[in-house]
Amino acid sequence: MRKQFRLFLCTRLLPASLLLALGADVAAQGDEDHAGMAMDLAAPGAMARTVRWSDASAWPSGRVPAEGEEVTIPRGTEMLLDVSPPRLRSLTVQGKLTFADERDLALSTEWIYVPGGELQIGTEAEPFTHKATITLTDDVKGEDINTMGDRGIMLMRGTLTMHGNRSHSWTRLDRTAGKGSTSISVLDAGDWRVGDEIVLASTDFNPRQAERRRITAVEGNTVSFAQPLEYMHYGAITFGVDERGEVGLLTRNIRVQASEDAAETYFGGHIMAMGGSRAYVDGVELHRMGQHLALARYPMHFHVLGEGAGMYIRNAAIHESYNRCVTVHGTNNLRIENNVTYNTVGHCFFMEDGIETGNEFIRNLAIQTKCHPTLDCVPTNLAANGEVNNPYENPAAYREASFHGGNTLLPSDNTAASFWITNPDNSYIDNVAAGSDQVGFWLSIPQHPNGAFLGTEISASTWPRRTPLRAFRGNTAHSNFDGFLIDRHIDQDNTFGLASIPLLPLTDPTDLESEVMETHFEQLTAWKNRNGGLWGRGDLYVYSNLKLADNAIGMTQAAGDIGSLPFSSRLVDALVVGETDNIGNPATPEELAYGRSLPKPAIPDFPIRGYEYYDYRDDVVNTRFVNFQDNERRKTGALSFLLFTSAGLSTGSTISGAEFVNAKPVYFPTYDARFDNDNRGGNQYRTLSFRDLDGSVTGIPDSQVILHDGENDSVATDDGCEIHPDWNAAVCTGDIGRLNLSDSRGELPAAVDLESRTARFALLSSLGPNAPDTPLVRAQRAALFSRRPPQAPIALIRNGKEFKVNGDQSTVRAGTEIEVRTERPEVTLSLAEMDEGSWVMFELPGFTEAASGTQQGSINALRQAKETSYFRGEGALWVKLVADAPVMPVIRPTDLQASITVSREDRGG
C-alpha cells in the first residue's frame, strides 16, 4: 500500500488522490475541458519555514519519503530538495519546492501538481549550476490531475521558475562540413562542452538530413565528435545568401523528460500553466515531451492565462517531442526567445486560437518538424502533379484522409508548420525554420478566434484576418516544402482550402469596406525549399530586402481583393538566386549526373523560376536575379508565371530596376501536366503579361512581355515585337490590355457582383467547403458556377496569321484591326485595362446585328469614330471598341471599358 507524505493533513485544496478520476477525454480544446476543475482561490501564502528534504525530522512520520509514495509540500513551507529521492508516486506542491544548488539532483515521479505553490530550480539572478533532472513516469495509466491530464508538471495558480546556466542555444557553421567529417567549425562554440549533444540542421532540400552528435572535444570554435557525418552540411554565404547551416545545442543542465517508455508509446511528458499561474523557464531541456494526438498536452503550454507580460521560455532545447513544442493559448505578451527544437511532431511554435496578441518570438530555431512520429504527411498543398503520390481515388477521399484520417491532432497538422501563426498582432523576429516536412512559417489566420473562444462575445468582436501585422522580419526558412506561407487560412474546424479570404488589414477591422493598410515583411530569407520560397495571398503586401535562393520557385503572390487595390504585392530591393554553390547531397541517378540535388527529384526536369507573377497586379522593384541559365537537365527563368493558372490575370503587373547576372530574364514553360498544380484548364496562363517600365528586362522601356510559345501566341504580337524563343515570349510596345470574347468580366461571369468588398469576399468564401450559408454567398456561388452551353471556338486573324483563343480571352494591342471567325450565333466583345480613348477594330464575317454602339455609314467613318461604333459591311459586321475612362482609379481587368454584343441575322431563338 502506498503512503501519502504530508506535513499538514488539511489543505485548502482537494487532495490529489481525489482528483485523479476527474475529467474525461476531450473532443475540443475549449473551456469545457476543465469544467470539473477544482479551483483554489486563496493567494499563495508566505513561507513560514524552510526545511530540507533529507531531514527526517521535517516529515511528520520522522523519515523521508520512500519509493512509490505520494508527497505533498503544504502551504507555508519551503522544501529544499538537497538529495535525489527514490522514485515517487506523485508530488503536489502547495508551498514551495526549491532545488538546492549543492549537487546534481534527480527527481522521478508520475506527475507534479502545483496548486498555488511554486517549483523553483534556480532564479534569473542566480541560475542553477549543477544538473537537475525531472523524469515523469507512467506506471499508472490514464490519470487526470484536476483535468490537466497525466505525466506532467501542472500549474493551477502556481509558479514555475527554472533557470539553467546554458544560454548559448545555437550558432551557424563557419565553413562547410563534408560528408564523413568528424568535426565542424562554427561561428561561436560559446560554452559548449565535451559530452554535450548538438544537432546540425539540413542544408539541403531534405529536412531529414539533420544529424545529431555528441561532442568529444572543443578547441576554440572547432567542435569534434566520434561518429562521422552522413551528409555534407553547407557553411558559407553564397552569391550573397547566407546558407550557413545552423547548429543547435540540445543539452541543458536542467532537464525535464519522460521516462524511456515514451519513445515507444509517444506519450511523453508535458508542462501546463493554467488559471493564474506564472512560468519563467530559461535554459531548460525538454526531452520526450508532448503526448501524441492529445489536446492540451504539450512540452510547454501557456493555457488561457490572459496577461503574460514578464513570463517567458528562452534558451531552451525541446527535442523528441510527440506533440508540438511551445503552445501559446489565450495568453498575451509572452517572450519566446532563443529556443532550439528538434525532431518534433505537429505545428511546433503554436499560436493556438487566434486571440493571442503581443507575444514575441525572437531568434528561435526549429529543426525537423514532422506531421507524425513515423508516418508520412498527407498534406494539403500545391504540389506539382508529377511529385504527388496520391493513392486515393478522388480529391474528396484525399481531403478526408488528409484532414480526418486520425493521424494528426488537428486537421491542419497534416501540413505541419514549424511556426504556426494565427494572429498577426504578434512579433516574429530573426527566427529560423530549418527543415519542416511541409511548411516553415505559416500565417493561417482565422476570421474570428476559434477553439476555446469560438462563439464567445470577444471572439465575435475580434478580427485577426483584418488586423495589422505587428513585426515580421529577419526570419529564415530553408529545407522545407514551402518556406513562408501567407494563405490557406483555417476555418472554425481547423480545416482549410488551397485559397481563402486573405489577411487584409483594415483601418477599422469591424468594417469590411474600410481602408486597406499596407503590410510589410522585411529581410526574409528562403533557400532550399522544395516547392516555394514564399507564397502569399493578399493586397498591399510589401516585401523588402528578401533573399531567395535554391528554391524550386522563389516567390508567388496571389491577389486578395480581386484586383481592386493598387497592387497585390511589391517586391523591393531583393536578391533572387537560381542555384548557388550549395550543391546539396545528390542521391538519385539524375542528381548524381547533374552534380547537385534537385528540388523535385520525381520530376528532375522541373523548370526552376525565381519570381512568379500571378493574378492581378504585382510589382518587382530594384531586384537582382542571379544564376538562372538553361542546361541539359532543365529549363529556367528569373521571371515567370504560376503554372498553368486559370485565375484572373492583369496587364498591370510591372518590373523596374531589375538586374540580371548570369540569368535568363524570362521563361514561360510550355504546357506539361507534370509541372502543373492548377488542374482547372489553365486558360488564363495563355493571356499572361507584365510591363517592363524602364527596359531593365527587355531593353525596351514601357514594353509588355507576353506569351509567345508557338502554340499560344497573342494576337497583340506582330512584326514590330521582339520575339524571344528561349523565353517563349514576345516583347511588344503600345497600349496592351485585355480582350473578352463573351459576356464575362475577365475570368468571372458577368452576373458575379464585384461592386463592394463585402460582395467580393462573399464570392471568395463561396469557393470554400465551409462557406457560410447566406443569401449573398448563395447568389455569388450561383453566379460563379453558372455555365453556358459549350460554344463554338473562336479564331482571331491579324495580318494573315491565325491566333488560337482559349477561355474567350486574349491580350490585345490598341490601334489594331482583327478578324473574328466563329460559328457562334452571338459574340460579346469587350476591352479592359486600356487607356481612355484606345481602340481596337474587329471584322466579323457573317454577323449583321449590333446590340449597342453608334452605327456608322462607312468603314472610313468607323475608323474615324471616337466612340464605340459599328458598320454593316458586305458580308461582315465591323466593330470599333473605344475604351472609356477606367471605372475605378485602379484599372481592373474585371471592369469593362467598352463592350458590344453582335449577332447573326439567322441566330434563331
Side-chain angles (χ1 to χ4, degrees), residues 2 4 6 15-26 33-34 68-71 87-92 108-113 135-154 259 261 267-270 272 291 294-297:
R2 69 176 186 262
Q4 297 178 351
R6 303 176 187 273
S17 58
L18 295 180
L19 296 174
L20 301 184
L22 290 178
D25 292 338
V26 293
D33 299 359
H34 310 290
E69 297 193 291
E70 292 182 342
V71 175
R87 184 163 169 159
L88 302 176
R89 168 68 177 85
S90 66
L91 177 60
T92 300
S108 293
T109 180
E110 292 279 296
W111 43 264
I112 300 174
Y113 178 45
T135 301
L136 300 167
T137 57
D138 190 35
D139 296 330
V140 181
K141 311 294 184 184
E143 297 180 276
D144 193 1
I145 313 307
N146 204 1
T147 75
M148 286 187 281
D150 193 8
R151 203 177 204 176
I153 299 175
M154 297 161 285
S259 50
D261 58 282
F267 185 79
H270 74 108
M272 187 176 190
Q291 297 171 2
L295 287 164
R297 308 295 180 253

Side-chain angles (χ1 to χ4, degrees), residues 829-900:
L829 302 97
S830 57
L831 298 180
E833 291 195 315
M834 304 195 82
D835 297 337
E836 182 179 4
S838 288
W839 59 267
V840 181
M841 280 186 60
F842 301 92
E843 178 187 5
L844 295 103
F847 285 77
T848 58
E849 304 296 328
S852 60
T854 300
Q855 184 173 355
Q856 303 292 339
S858 69
I859 191 68
N860 288 332
L862 182 68
R863 287 194 171 102
Q864 297 299 316
K866 304 297 185 184
E867 60 185 356
T868 295
S869 304
Y870 64 92
F871 164 67
R872 290 190 181 95
E874 185 175 348
L877 187 72
W878 289 77
V879 168
K880 183 177 184 180
L881 294 180
V882 181
D884 292 333
V887 177
M888 295 175 58
V890 176
I891 302 180
R892 301 187 300 185
T894 55
D895 289 334
L896 306 182
Q897 295 171 271
S899 185
I900 194 168

Side-chain angles (χ1 to χ4, degrees), residues 459-664:
S459 176
S461 61
T462 303
W463 300 84
R465 218 178 289 174
R466 304 178 188 175
T467 297
L469 186 68
R470 181 173 290 213
F472 198 88
R473 66 177 183 270
N475 301 303
T476 297
H478 70 85
S479 307
N480 310 288
F481 185 79
D482 284 305
F484 295 94
L485 180 58
I486 312 159
D487 193 9
R488 301 171 208 166
H489 302 299
I490 52 170
D491 292 322
Q492 292 180 1
D493 61 357
N494 212 262
T495 64
F496 57 93
L498 292 175
S500 55
I501 301 294
L503 167 63
L504 195 73
L506 303 176
T507 53
D508 179 1
T510 66
D511 179 7
L512 186 55
E513 302 298 331
S514 64
E515 184 179 356
V516 179
M517 304 172 65
E518 283 192 0
T519 299
H520 288 261
F521 301 89
E522 303 170 296
Q523 299 174 335
L524 306 183
T525 302
W527 53 274
K528 289 288 186 188
N529 295 290
R530 1 190 239 292
N531 194 55
L534 185 149
W535 172 284
R537 182 182 299 275
D539 293 291
L540 303 189
Y541 286 10
V542 179
Y543 300 96
S544 56
N545 300 108
L546 263 67
K547 292 185 177 181
L548 308 169
D550 288 320
N551 305 293
I553 305 159
M555 173 183 167
T556 314
Q557 175 84 10
D561 198 13
I562 313 184
S564 299
L565 290 163
F567 62 89
S568 296
S569 69
R570 183 163 288 154
L571 180 65
V572 183
D573 299 329
L575 172 64
V576 186
V577 183
E579 290 180 339
T580 69
D581 288 336
N582 179 3
I583 65 171
N585 294 283
T588 67
E590 293 84 1
E591 290 177 333
L592 291 169
Y594 188 50
R596 65 185 298 127
S597 59
L598 292 163
K600 299 185 182 298
I603 36 177
D605 55 338
F606 184 85
I608 66 169
R609 284 147 292 126
Y611 181 89
E612 284 188 333
Y613 288 100
Y614 185 22
D615 51 356
Y616 306 112
R617 282 175 308 282
D618 298 288
D619 301 325
V620 179
V621 183
N622 299 337
T623 293
R624 190 180 195 213
F625 297 90
V626 181
N627 293 351
F628 290 92
Q629 288 292 350
D630 295 346
N631 55 44
E632 293 180 357
R633 177 72 276 158
R634 49 98 193 107
K635 299 279 191 178
T636 186
L639 303 168
S640 191
F641 257 82
L642 177 67
L643 309 182
F644 293 99
T645 179
S646 60
L649 297 190
S650 167
T651 57
S653 291
T654 70
I655 188 167
S656 61
E659 180 184 359
F660 300 91
V661 179
N662 189 40
K664 186 174 73 175

Side-chain angles (χ1 to χ4, degrees), residues 279-531:
Y280 311 93
V281 178
D282 189 341
V284 174
E285 180 181 350
L286 303 177
H287 180 223
R288 293 193 294 260
M289 299 287 279
Q291 297 171 2
H292 187 46
L293 300 180
L295 287 164
R297 308 295 180 253
Y298 314 124
M300 186 70 216
H301 185 190
F302 298 91
H303 183 79
V304 197
L305 298 180
E307 181 53 64
M311 288 189 274
Y312 47 80
I313 176 171
R314 61 195 185 199
N315 307 317
I318 303 172
H319 56 101
E320 282 71 51
S321 167
Y322 314 117
N323 195 7
R324 313 212 185 289
C325 303
V326 177
T327 293
V328 178
H329 186 197
T331 306
N332 304 327
N333 301 315
L334 298 169
R335 193 171 181 91
I336 296 92
E337 182 177 13
N338 203 38
N339 302 290
V340 173
T341 70
Y342 165 62
N343 195 26
T344 64
V345 173
H347 302 314
C348 180
F349 290 97
F350 183 68
M351 192 75 72
E352 188 153 333
D353 283 348
I355 196 75
E356 304 83 10
T357 63
N359 298 287
E360 296 178 300
F361 291 77
I362 300 174
R363 202 178 182 272
N364 300 287
L365 169 63
I367 300 175
Q368 196 169 291
T369 304
K370 305 185 297 187
C371 295
H372 187 275
T374 61
L375 302 177
D376 292 335
C377 298
V378 184
T380 299
N381 59 27
L382 284 176
N385 293 332
E387 65 180 335
V388 174
N389 181 18
N390 182 359
Y392 300 94
E393 294 181 359
N394 56 60
Y398 183 90
R399 177 183 173 86
E400 180 65 21
S402 176
F403 287 144
H404 306 297
N407 293 322
T408 59
L409 180 65
L410 297 176
S412 61
D413 283 302
N414 67 352
T415 315
S418 293
F419 293 84
W420 168 259
I421 304 165
T422 56
N423 191 309
D425 191 18
N426 295 278
S427 298
Y428 290 81
I429 301 170
D430 296 336
N431 302 283
V432 180
S436 170
D437 281 356
Q438 286 299 309
V439 183
F441 295 82
W442 187 357
L443 281 78
S444 186
I445 314 298
Q447 184 83 313
H448 297 284
N450 54 23
F453 298 88
L454 186 64
T456 64
E457 183 177 344
I458 191 172
S459 176
S461 61
T462 303
W463 300 84
R465 218 178 289 174
R466 304 178 188 175
T467 297
L469 186 68
R470 181 173 290 213
F472 198 88
R473 66 177 183 270
N475 301 303
T476 297
H478 70 85
S479 307
N480 310 288
F481 185 79
D482 284 305
F484 295 94
L485 180 58
I486 312 159
D487 193 9
R488 301 171 208 166
H489 302 299
I490 52 170
D491 292 322
Q492 292 180 1
D493 61 357
N494 212 262
T495 64
F496 57 93
L498 292 175
S500 55
I501 301 294
L503 167 63
L504 195 73
L506 303 176
T507 53
D508 179 1
T510 66
D511 179 7
L512 186 55
E513 302 298 331
S514 64
E515 184 179 356
V516 179
M517 304 172 65
E518 283 192 0
T519 299
H520 288 261
F521 301 89
E522 303 170 296
Q523 299 174 335
L524 306 183
T525 302
W527 53 274
K528 289 288 186 188
N529 295 290
R530 1 190 239 292
N531 194 55

Side-chain angles (χ1 to χ4, degrees), residues 201-222:
S202 170
T203 57
D204 202 354
F205 295 111
N206 183 356
R208 302 302 179 90
Q209 290 180 11
E211 300 191 72
R212 180 174 178 165
R213 295 293 183 269
R214 188 173 297 278
I215 296 175
T216 57
V218 180
E219 295 183 8
N221 288 327
T222 299

